[in-house]
Amino acid sequence: MIFYRSDEEIALIKISAQVLGKAHAEVAKLIRPGIATKELDKVAETFIKDNGGIPSFLGYNKFPASLCISVNDVVVHGFPSRYELRDGDIISIDCGVKLNGYHSDSAYTYPIGEVTPAVRRLLSRTKESLYLGVEKAVEGNRVGDIGYAVQTYAEKFGYSVVRELVGHGVGQDLHEAPEVPNYGKRGQGPKLREGMILAIEPMINFGKKGVVQERDGWTIRTVDRKPSAHFEHTVAVRKGKPEILTTFEYIEAVTANTSLMVETQELTAA
């Protein structure tokens, strides 16, 4: 069942999303070579709870952490661990917050230290593909228009789009209908109507599109062990122009003029 949220409900989701954006920024302050990823998870959990929220991921289908932390060839759903970040890594941080009864969901991928130019371009272009997908989240379009925008941009550079994992609706439940693939055909899929809330989240691989799941039942890696990037916004479908409810503003205030900054073109207004 697809839900269509009122302006009042959307305002509540946006409050949740502001806490989420600030939680991301608290994590970003600590991202550097030598820090264990489990330390980042502690910071996020504490911040979310201190600000009246509930970590959406913690305990979800027995997931053991507040953050999905995915390093290098891990696409999504990586566990925080004792692993210490190294110069040249990339790390994707995916987080959700439930506040006032509503979830918000977003993700950001950071370069650590001296990352190769090719991998930096992967991050920038994945982020750009997110905004191209977001542009299509307007009333009258279809879900396939979002996926088509992401796919055609990513594949233009020789990257591949993960098929097994998709975006989704979000609201009172963390995952709601409809599914929002990062690939597709224009004019196909469920029709977008004002009030739909979508988590749009390109997962773009440097190499092949195939993925494998680790024995832990969660961690998803690229089949060829090449890097993957992941960026995500929670978005309200509107007439004429989408409304991005989550924000990277707090992250980018922290990462500005540092090696963590992921540059993008001005493809759309945030």
Side-chain angles (χ1 to χ4, degrees):
M1 178 178 179
I2 296 176
F3 295 95
Y4 304 94
R5 304 297 179 182
S6 66
D7 287 345
E8 291 76 15
E9 289 178 296
I10 292 171
L12 291 174
I13 296 170
K14 197 165 187 176
I15 292 170
S16 169
Q18 290 295 304
V19 172
L20 173 56
K22 292 176 182 178
H24 270 290
E26 291 302 306
V27 172
K29 291 175 184 177
L30 299 177
I31 294 176
R32 63 183 185 276
I35 191 163
T37 61
K38 67 178 182 179
E39 297 301 320
L40 304 177
D41 185 68
K42 291 178 184 177
V43 168
E45 180 179 346
T46 298
F47 183 88
I48 292 167
K49 290 179 176 178
D50 285 351
N51 284 273
I54 299 169
S56 297
F57 298 173
L58 184 60
Y60 179 80
N61 289 339
K62 299 183 180 180
F63 189 78
S66 298
L67 298 178
C68 292
I69 296 183
S70 305
V71 178
N72 296 332
D73 62 328
V74 177
V75 181
V76 286
H77 303 164
F79 290 173
S81 70
R82 295 179 181 177
Y83 177 82
E84 295 181 356
L85 294 177
R86 302 170 185 170
D87 191 69
D89 284 344
I90 60 172
I91 179 173
S92 297
I93 306 289
D94 191 359
C95 187
V97 169
K98 185 177 185 181
L99 184 65
N100 299 319
Y102 291 89
H103 294 271
S104 56
D105 192 0
S106 69
Y108 200 93
T109 304
Y110 302 85
I112 309 299
E114 293 297 321
V115 174
T116 67
V119 172
R120 276 195 172 272
R121 288 192 292 270
L122 171 68
L123 270 57
S124 294
R125 290 164 176 169
T126 301
K127 187 179 175 190
E128 289 164 2
S129 76
L130 166 64
Y131 286 106
L132 289 171
V134 167
E135 280 185 343
K136 301 301 180 182
V138 294
E139 184 168 84
N141 280 349
R142 292 186 178 273
V143 167
D145 295 317
I146 297 172
Y148 179 84
V150 172
Q151 180 183 8
T152 54
Y153 186 73
E155 291 181 350
K156 177 171 71 172
F157 301 106
Y159 306 141
S160 58
V161 177
V162 174
R163 300 304 204 265
E164 291 85 351
L165 302 151
V166 298
H168 51 90
V170 62
Q172 289 177 306
D173 291 320
L174 179 59
H175 292 98
E176 298 181 349
E179 291 189 342
V180 185
N182 297 301
Y183 59 93
K185 295 183 179 180
R186 288 179 291 188
Q188 294 191 359
K191 194 167 187 179
L192 302 181
R193 290 175 50 192
E194 184 159 18
M196 292 172 67
I197 309 298
L198 307 177
I200 300 174
E201 50 178 322
M203 289 158 270
I204 307 300
N205 294 349
F206 190 85
K208 297 178 180 179
K209 66 184 177 183
V211 297
V212 293
Q213 187 175 60
E214 299 286 278
R215 290 182 180 179
D216 61 24
W218 283 97
T219 306
I220 305 292
R221 295 183 181 273
T222 58
V223 69
D224 56 10
R225 306 304 291 264
K226 292 183 179 180
S228 183
H230 179 206
F231 288 84
E232 177 183 18
H233 271 312
T234 297
V235 180
V237 174
R238 296 292 199 180
K239 294 178 180 177
K241 183 179 180 180
E243 182 179 0
I244 301 176
L245 304 179
T246 45
T247 178
F248 295 155
E249 174 186 357
Y250 303 113
I251 293 172
E252 292 172 354
V254 170
T255 62
N257 303 316
T258 73
S259 65
L260 296 176
M261 185 68 179
V262 179
E263 300 285 352
T264 59
Q265 302 173 21
E266 292 297 325
L267 294 175
T268 188

